């Protein structure tokens, strides 16, 4: 028996030794492959500039090849797939930061992160199991729910168009979500409900409160921004949560979607305590299919993460007009994201050609011009992929020091606002005012209103006036609401005369809700989402309709089809409407009164039935009690 045990132990020892030998050989082979690859990368010829520095393009190319190979090896992919040059060059990541000094002395900072994913999982039988730069959580969501386009934004504050101009990518206050589903989806409402629940968990938001009571299907206001010209609005869903509060728990999962996270590149500036101590903050995620070249021979999925923030001069506690990256974000830039093919910082110097408005340091000889929102702008460019950008301190801290007043800003060509009129808690009137500030050009706008079901609209009271005259809309789409099932949807195509103010009014009646349908703070009021105004605004300069990879990210989000106009979307303020509210203190008063009556009445009756009464004999005085104590000791009869 002992010999048998010894034989088994020898067999196990031989097996374990062979396995260890194989694993060590594999590790040595992997190490040799790593050293050979590093040597091949280092032995490649380098393009050197006149000043002796390595060309940025060659450096980025080698960095992208080595990074892609390392990621492929970590994920356990096949060697043939990792060494395929086409597969390594398809996925791409770019990051940009645009800083625009405003005429009010504030600073507008816009972050743009773009990830291209070379795959097409909408094809039948196409399964995707490998993710390099694209976040796997979003890729699985797109594949499971057959999403063609997804646009989601979280905004804290309201964008002041008349003071700050037009933003690069607008968004309404609160949360906004609109999705185009693939035309093969049979149950769109079911996919929409599951998608909102999943996104609620991914972004730590209250998107699970989106249901059929606040979801609409716009017929003309929201068209696909990517490939495809879908016109069947049955596969489109749009919803807003105007009361959604944006905080750190929404920013953290948003930053985790980036390839480098918040550890390198421009994302190191996204410090929550600084971003949320601002006048305006908006973060968004846009996913759409795009072309990879001008001929559109290959397709890819684009994930664009944007973050816009406006720092107020007085809110930030600055005593003078002087801004820097450290003062805005409490951090400076030290390196670009290693996975990024392009990492740049743009500073708008259009209004400061000779440096008479503000001083920018450090200076850069790189300049770039781009047509943004119908205007030609000039930017100073800081390329983070170049070592000379950071200087000897290996740190980039841009400083803007104002020299004089900013002057007056040009009024935006399109502006809109909305408010509630009337008195009492029975009826009211919604006013939407749209301004066309162009001196001699008229253009049409598309107005979309989504009103909750508890505000019962009277469509026969709808009026549209321009310059004190009736302005008949050329297109009206109205879908009436159903109580507790769907909201009102109103879309109109209105022609705006030049240099005019157009007012749209409609009356409504407030409905009575069930006592369980009120919010925990019903006297605060109920929020109504922003109106959406979409238009092709005449451009001051010719727009570039050609597709080029060299365009900045902030100027190439919305595709341009005409050289004489550009697309603008404007959101109005959300409304706060009071509804007839019952006296919720009455149940409390009733409960208190009832409990008091029960305690006094039933308590007294219960005591009479259960308590026993005895005659309490008076106690003897102290002298007699002492005498009785002595008598008890002596054995003498006690005194009474």
């Amino acid at each position: 028996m002992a010999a048998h045990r010894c034989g088994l132990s020898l067999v196990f020892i031989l097996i374990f030794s062979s396995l260890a030998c194989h694993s060590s050989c594999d590790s040595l082979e992997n190490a040799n492959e790593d050293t050979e690859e590093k040597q091949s990368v280092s032995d490649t010829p380098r393009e050197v500039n006149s000043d002796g520095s390595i060309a940025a393009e060659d450096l980025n190319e080698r960095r992208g090849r080595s990074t892609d190979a390392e990621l492929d090896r970590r994920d356990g992919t096949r060697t043939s797939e990792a060494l395929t040059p086409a597969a390594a060059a398809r996925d791409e990541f770019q990051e940009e930061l645009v800083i625009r000094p405003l005429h009010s002395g504030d600073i507008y900072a816009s972050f743009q992160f773009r990830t291209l994913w070379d795959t097409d999982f909408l094809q039948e039988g196409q399964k995707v199991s490998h993710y390099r730069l694209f976040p796997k959580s979003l890729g699985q969501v797109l594949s499971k729910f057959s999403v063609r386009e997804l646009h989601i934004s979280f905004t804290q504050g309201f964008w002041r168009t008349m003071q700050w101009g037009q933003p690069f990518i607008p968004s309404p206050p609160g949360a906004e979500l609109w999705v185009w589903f693939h035309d093969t989806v049979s149950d769109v409402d079911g996919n929409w409900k599951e998608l909102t629940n999943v996104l609620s968990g991914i972004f730590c938001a209250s998107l699970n409160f989106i249901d059929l009571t606040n979801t609409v299907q716009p017929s003309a206001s929201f068209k696909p921004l990517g490939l495809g010209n879908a016109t069947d609005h049955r596969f489109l869903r749009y919803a807003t949560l105007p009361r959604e509060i944006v905080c750190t728990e929404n920013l953290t999962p948003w930053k985790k979607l980036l390839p480098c996270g918040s550890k390198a590149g421009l994302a190191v500036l996204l410090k929550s305590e600084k971003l949320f101590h601002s006048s305006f903050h908006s973060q968004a995620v846009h996913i759409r299919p795009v072309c990879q070249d001008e001929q559109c021979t290959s397709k890819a999925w684009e994930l664009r993460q944007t973050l816009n923030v406006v720092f107020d001069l007085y809110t930030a506690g600055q005593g003078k007009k002087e801004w820097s990256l450290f003062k805005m974000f409490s951090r400076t830039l030290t390196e670009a994201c290693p996975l990024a093919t392009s990492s740049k910082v743009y500073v708008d110097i259009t209004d400061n050609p000779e440096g008479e408005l503000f001083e920018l340091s450090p200076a850069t000889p790189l300049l770039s011009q781009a047509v943004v929102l119908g205007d030609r702008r000039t930017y100073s460019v800081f390329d983070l992929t170049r070592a000379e950008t950071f200087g000897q301190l290996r740190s980039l801290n841009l400083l803007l020091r104002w020299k004089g007043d900013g002057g007056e800003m040009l009024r935006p060509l399109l502006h809109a606002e909305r408010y509630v009129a009337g008195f009492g808690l029975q009826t009211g009137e919604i006013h939407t005012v749209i301004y066309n500030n162009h001196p001699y050009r008229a253009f049409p706008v598309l107005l979309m209103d989504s009103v909750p079901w508890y505000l019962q609209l009277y469509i026969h009271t709808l009026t549209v006036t321009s310059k004190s005259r009736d302005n008949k809309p050329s297109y009206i789409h109205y879908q009436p609401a159903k109580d507790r099932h769907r909201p009102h949807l109103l879309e109109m195509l209105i022609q705006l005369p030049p240099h005019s103010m157009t007012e749209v009014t409609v009356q409504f009646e407030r409905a009575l809700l069930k006592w369980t349908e009120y919010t925990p703070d019903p006297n605060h009021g109920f929020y109504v989402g922003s109106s959406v105004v979409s238009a092709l605004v005449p451009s001051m300069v010719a727009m570039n309709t050609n597709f080029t990879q060299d365009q900045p990210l902030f100027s190439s989000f919305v595709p341009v089809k005409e050289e004489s106009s550009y697309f603008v979307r404007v959101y109005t303020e959300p409304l706060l409407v009071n509804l007839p509210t019952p006296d919720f203190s009455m149940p409390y008063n009733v409960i208190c009164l009832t409990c008091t009556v029960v305690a006094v009445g039933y308590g007294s009756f219960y005591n009479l039935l259960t308590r026993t009464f005895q005659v309490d004999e008076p106690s003897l005085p102290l002298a007699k009690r002492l005498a009785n104590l002595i008598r008890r000791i002596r054995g003498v009869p006690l005194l009474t």
Side-chain angles (χ1 to χ4, degrees), residues 31 118 129 147 161 185 280 310 378 385 519 558:
D118 179 31
S129 59
V147 175
T161 307
V185 178
F280 177 83
V310 176
T378 305
T385 58
T519 57
V558 179

Side-chain angles (χ1 to χ4, degrees), residues 120-294:
D120 189 7
F121 51 76
L122 294 180
Q123 295 180 358
E124 296 183 1
Q126 182 78 11
K127 293 184 179 180
V128 179
S129 59
H130 176 64
Y131 296 86
R132 182 180 288 110
L133 300 179
F134 200 90
K136 186 177 181 180
S137 58
L138 293 182
Q140 292 178 341
V141 167
L142 298 179
S143 178
K144 177 177 176 56
F145 299 107
S146 299
V147 175
R148 180 180 292 273
E149 281 194 23
L150 187 146
H151 305 270
I152 182 173
S153 65
F154 302 95
T155 304
Q156 186 71 28
F158 179 71
W159 182 268
R160 308 184 184 193
T161 307
M162 298 303 294
Q163 299 181 12
W164 301 335
Q166 295 288 354
F168 296 124
I169 301 179
S171 58
E176 180 193 38
L177 175 64
W178 58 285
V179 177
W180 275 96
F181 292 94
H182 201 261
D183 53 7
T184 58
V185 178
S186 57
D187 186 9
V188 179
D189 291 332
N191 281 24
W192 170 254
K193 183 60 179 177
E194 294 182 13
L195 177 63
T196 54
N197 291 330
V198 172
L199 293 178
S200 177
I202 293 177
F203 294 100
C204 296
S206 304
L207 299 178
N208 56 315
F209 286 96
I210 294 179
D211 53 14
L212 296 180
T213 60
N214 51 18
T215 301
V216 294
Q217 304 176 25
S219 62
S221 297
F222 290 88
K223 296 296 182 181
L225 299 180
L227 293 178
N229 189 15
T231 57
D232 193 350
H233 63 276
R234 294 179 302 168
F235 301 99
L236 171 64
R237 294 295 183 271
Y238 175 86
T240 58
L241 295 175
R243 201 179 179 180
E244 180 71 13
I245 305 299
V246 186
C247 56
T248 307
E249 62 183 8
N250 305 119
L251 180 63
T252 301
W254 185 90
K255 292 191 293 186
K256 290 182 178 180
L257 299 177
L258 298 172
C260 292
S262 58
K263 304 300 182 182
L266 297 176
V268 299
L269 302 178
L270 304 180
K271 195 174 181 180
S272 58
E273 61 185 46
K274 284 292 185 178
L275 294 179
F276 293 108
H277 191 66
S278 57
S279 300
F280 177 83
H281 170 268
S282 177
Q283 61 188 54
V285 172
H286 306 276
I287 304 176
R288 60 178 180 176
V290 295
C291 296
Q292 290 195 3
D293 51 13
E294 187 174 356

